[in-house]
Every structure is written in structure tokens, then in C-alpha cells.
Amino acid sequence: MAKIQNWKPEDPIFWREQGSALAWRTCGVTTFSLIFSFATWFVMSAVVVRMPAIGFKFSTSELFWLAAIPGLASGILRLIHSNFIPVLGTRPVISISTIIKVVPMVWLGYAVQDLNTPWTTFMIIGFLCGLGGGDFSSFMPSTSIFFPKRLQGTAMGIQAGLGNFGVSIVQFVAPWIIGVAALGATAGGPLVFTKGEPVKGALTVVKEGKIVKDVKVNKPEYVGAIDIIRDEAGALKDVKLRETDTVKLIKADVVKDADGVITAVNPTKGMGLEVKRNDAGAITDVALRNVVKKPMWLQNAAFVWVPFLLLAFVLSAVFLRSLQMPSRGFMGQFEILSGRNRARVHTWNCTMTYICSFGSFSGFSAAFPMLIKTLYGGFDGAPDPLQYAYIGPLLGGLVRMLSGGFFDKIGGSKGMQWTTVGQIGGVAFLVIGGYLTPTSIDQFSGFLWGMLWIFLMSGINNAATFRQYPIVFAYSPAKGAQMLGWTGAWAAFGPFVWNSLIATSLEKTGAVNAFFIGAAVFYVYSLLINWWYYTRNGAERFDYGNGGGTWWDKLSEAEKERMKRIDLGQAA
């Protein structure tokens, strides 16, 4: 189907008679597809917190890397996608990018059913899950070029906000869908899920540093069941649990078919002894637990998105249209890095502030479940990460959607300024309050509220950027659209950067404080950039909203034409 020629959204008559209906239809279809793109992007973050409980023996660092790798892929792919819309058009780009995400979802669904699947295979699958984040840099530029400037903040805020719901949906749906055989026999049989609660007061573990030197059994009913094994020198060598009249060991009760494949898991209860060791083989912790084994269909967390992706593909192929835009080819798309109209300076500024907003949102969304598990999972009555992880992305996506129109009125730069201050405050609260180095489960509520505040602020901040960036590049709608794709590409590295740096912080320091302090320093840098170039009185490219005006509104027609000629490489 031929591209639409001569699109004039700023013309009131054209917009009323032709433009509005197609623009909002495009926004609706692409938003529906974007929701499930985000779901596939973040599905690994929901899966990794359950993998140890079904038998995968990956370390905490390896699990953080599995949650991180989709972010690496999405960032790389967004840099590519940011060039597609002006060259290829909305319809083919959105349709094709939607259908190919079926591949990692099907592969992941089968991979989690085999406990022999290596970590490297999951890393490859995780990279392919990044396809769901990569195409965001095609969605947003597409929406930008269909709408007039006065509605771009509203339209893109709605699209990005609803699209972000995909993050919270996948983390909300996962704990429910994996508990039922909802997808039938084609999805595979159940896996054995193991969950244990510590027996309070059963043992006293004596440590020197991080090494266990002695274990004392406090309750008489467990004395005969726990064997404390020492070497010839009397040093602790091992601790084992055996079945007695009062202690029943936990066992799995499964039904297998003729090929040895599990077809049913009958829930069982019993006791288990967890003995943790470091890389040198020394015992670092011992815990007696009441254990439950029950069926789980973890594969459902991936398979459930396949029919929605297929539906989104059909809708995109049938209802989307493409616009004819001036294009200088793929290399021409990198002119935002040129010195024309100080494009390079503002490209850098927009990239930094977008990493501050969406980079934080996506990074913390991917890391949130593992942060809960790592920081608070060792306490009695530890919270289930997936019961809380969806709340932050849901909150951020909701405010992102609702606040877009507000920033059309007051200006994007002002919103970015105050919400960045809020992000700094949220990090300071978590670090100073000790919620990142907890000593009790009672501190979890403070940690949760601090994280939700950061999600709230980053979500609002993100909505403000969609108003701000097209204004910064007001002399070229194509560059404004491209900037949304370019900045989105770098911010999509958020899940990779956040998770990998958190894992590094844990490995090097044993805590996550170093990462959060580093994030606060970066937020301050972003704050200063936004204030100097876009917010202060007399800023180079200020945006005070539809009421207060923008730097572009204040230019004469001659100055505007001069900037447009410079942008096109013509004589000024």
C-alpha cells in the first residue's frame, strides 16, 4: 500500500477533516501492540525469580544478568529502529517487529521445562526478548509525526503510559498464570516448585565472619534428625537431615509418562535442611525449613503472550498506514549528531535526561523483583517478589499516561526539573534510611514506599520528556521524531545497566548502596543540564508550555526559515 503524501497535521482544517481520525487510530493500534512488546521485554524479570525454586542452580549474579540482558538487546535494537520509520514507514515496521517476538516467547516456554538448559541458552533467549524493547524507537517516532505539536505530549504520554502497563502486566499475570495448567497439554507438563519457610528457633548458627563454625540444635524433636559432621580436627564439615518418627523429609510426588516426562505433581509437605557453601566449599549458612512441593507451569509466563502478539500483528497489518517523509537515507538519520543548529549539544542533553527518566523506569522495573528477593528474601516471612514487583511499573505507567496533557500546558522542562529532584530524594531516603541494608523484615515497607516514589517520579519525568524533545528540535519534525527514537534507544539500556551494576555492587561490596549513590550523582547531573539549557529564565531552548510559549514561538519567521535552511544544509 502506497504511503500517504502531504501530511499536514498543523493545518486545522486538514486535522479536523482527515488527520485526527487516522492519527488516533494509529495511536490506538500501535499502543495495543506496544503493551505486549513491553510484556515480552520484561518477561525474563518475572521468570528469573522463580527459576531457583523449580531447580535451576544459577547464582544470584547470574540471575541478575538474565534480567539484564534484554536491556542490552533493546538498546542496540532501538538505535537501529530509530532510523526505520522515516525510511520504511509505520505499517511494515510495526507489523514485522510485532510478529517476530513470538520466537523468544515460544523458545523460553520450552527452555524452562528442561532443568538441563544451560545459562548461556537463557542469555540468548533473554537477548531475543529485547526485541520487545527495541521497537519502542519505532512506535514513538511514528506517533510523533502523525500529531500536531500541541497534542504530541498528550498522544505520546498516552501511548507510552499504556505501553508501560506491559511491564506491570507481565509481573502481575506471571504468579497467577504459572499456577494453573491454563494453556493445555501443548504448553507442557507441570514443574516441581519448592518453597520453604524457616523453622523459627530450631537452630543456632555460630559464625566467624561469613563462615559457619558450629550449629546447635535447640529443639529436642530435631536432635535425633540432624547430624552435625566434623572432620578429624573437630571443624564443621557438613550438616545433614534424616527422617525420624517426628521428622518427615520432603519428597516430590510426581507422575511420569512412558518417556519419563512429568505429567502430574501431587502437592507434598515435609522438612528440608538447606546448607549453603561458598566457592571454596566452606559452609556459610544452615537453615531448617518446612517445605512444600507443588506443581508450577512456569512456561505459561512466556506462552501466554503468543496469542496477543498474533492479534497485534493482524491489527497492525490491516489498520496501520505509512506517511511519506523526507529522507536522506540511513546515514542521514545521524545528522542529529552534527553541529547544525547545535544539534549535537542538544542530542547529548536529551539523551542524558531521558536515561534519567525512562532509563530509571525501565532499569528499576527489571531489577525490582530481584532486589526484593535479594535484600529481603532471607528473612522469616519474606515477601513474594511478584506480589509487589508489578506495582512500581503500574504506577509509573499510569502517571506517565495521565500527565502528558498537563505538560502540554506548563512545559516539559519544568516537569522534568521537579521530578528529577524527586528521584534524588527517593534514592536518599532509601540509602540514609538503611532500607538497602535491612536487618529486619519490618524495614520492607519503607523500602517498598521508597521504590514506589522513585517509580512515580520517573514516570512523570518520562511524560514530560515527550513534550520537551519535539520542542527542542521544533525546526525539524523529522528530527524531533528521530530524537524520541534515539534517546529511547540509549535509555533502553536501563535494564542492562541497572541490573549489571547492581550485580557488580553486590559482588564487590556485598550491598547495593554503591549503585544507588551513583544513580543519585547521575540524577544531579541531569538536573543541572535541564535547568541550564531548558528551564531557567532565558534558557537557550526553553519550554513554558502552550500558555507561556516556547523558544520557537519567540523567533521571527525569518529566523525560523534560517534554521530550517541550516538543517537542510542550505545557505543560511
Side-chain angles (χ1 to χ4, degrees), residues 74-97:
S74 63
I76 295 172
L77 292 169
R78 282 192 183 192
L79 290 173
I80 300 172
H81 266 279
S82 63
N83 301 309
F84 281 173
I85 292 298
V87 178
L88 302 177
T90 297
R91 188 184 188 192
V93 172
I94 301 302
S95 299
I96 295 172
S97 64

Side-chain angles (χ1 to χ4, degrees), residues 64 69 80 87 107 121 127 147 178 186 221 224 265 326 330 336 356 363 369 383 459 466-467 500 537 558 565:
F64 267 112
I69 195 63
I80 300 172
V87 178
W107 193 1
T121 298
F127 189 90
F147 283 86
I178 63 180
T186 57
E221 61 267 34
V265 177
F330 284 102
I336 56 172
C356 176
F466 295 134
R467 158 72 189 197
S500 59
N537 291 331
R565 289 196 299 272

Side-chain angles (χ1 to χ4, degrees), residues 333-354:
Q333 299 306 308
F334 291 95
E335 288 183 4
I336 56 172
L337 302 179
S338 75
R340 296 177 186 173
N341 293 321
R342 289 173 52 79
R344 186 185 304 114
V345 171
H346 295 288
T347 295
W348 173 265
N349 293 345
C350 292
T351 302
M352 292 300 102
T353 54
Y354 200 72

Side-chain angles (χ1 to χ4, degrees), residues 222-413:
Y222 303 130
V223 171
I226 298 177
D227 293 329
I228 300 174
I229 303 171
R230 304 179 186 276
D231 61 20
E232 294 179 355
L236 185 65
K237 183 179 180 181
D238 202 357
V239 184
K240 294 185 177 181
L241 180 68
R242 54 191 173 85
E243 191 161 318
T244 67
D245 293 339
T246 57
V247 174
K248 180 182 178 182
L249 297 183
I250 184 64
K251 297 178 182 177
D253 182 3
V254 301
V255 179
K256 298 182 179 181
D257 61 17
D259 297 322
V261 178
I262 296 176
T263 58
V265 177
N266 299 314
T268 58
K269 295 181 180 180
M271 302 198 74
L273 190 70
E274 182 180 34
V275 179
K276 294 183 179 180
R277 299 178 184 271
N278 60 19
D279 293 338
I283 298 175
T284 57
D285 200 11
V286 180
L288 182 66
R289 300 180 182 276
N290 286 314
V291 183
V292 174
K293 290 183 180 290
K294 60 182 181 180
M296 173 177 285
W297 291 263
L298 189 58
Q299 62 269 29
N300 288 357
F303 286 145
V304 69
W305 308 113
V306 173
F308 293 101
L309 291 170
L310 294 175
L311 176 59
F313 165 73
V314 172
L315 292 175
S316 298
V318 173
F319 292 109
L320 293 183
R321 298 292 182 268
S322 299
L323 302 183
Q324 181 65 52
M325 296 181 62
S327 174
R328 302 165 192 145
F330 284 102
M331 292 305 296
Q333 299 306 308
F334 291 95
E335 288 183 4
I336 56 172
L337 302 179
S338 75
R340 296 177 186 173
N341 293 321
R342 289 173 52 79
R344 186 185 304 114
V345 171
H346 295 288
T347 295
W348 173 265
N349 293 345
C350 292
T351 302
M352 292 300 102
T353 54
Y354 200 72
I355 292 173
C356 176
S357 62
F358 183 74
S360 290
F361 174 87
S362 61
F364 280 124
S365 293
F368 199 22
M370 279 300 296
L371 276 173
I372 295 173
K373 180 178 178 63
T374 302
L375 299 181
Y376 289 89
F379 295 110
D380 292 349
D384 182 345
L386 294 185
Q387 288 185 358
Y388 296 94
Y390 75 92
I391 302 175
L394 177 64
L395 179 63
L398 183 62
V399 297
R400 188 179 183 183
M401 176 186 65
L402 296 178
S403 55
F406 177 69
F407 295 122
D408 282 335
K409 296 179 181 179
I410 72 165
S413 64

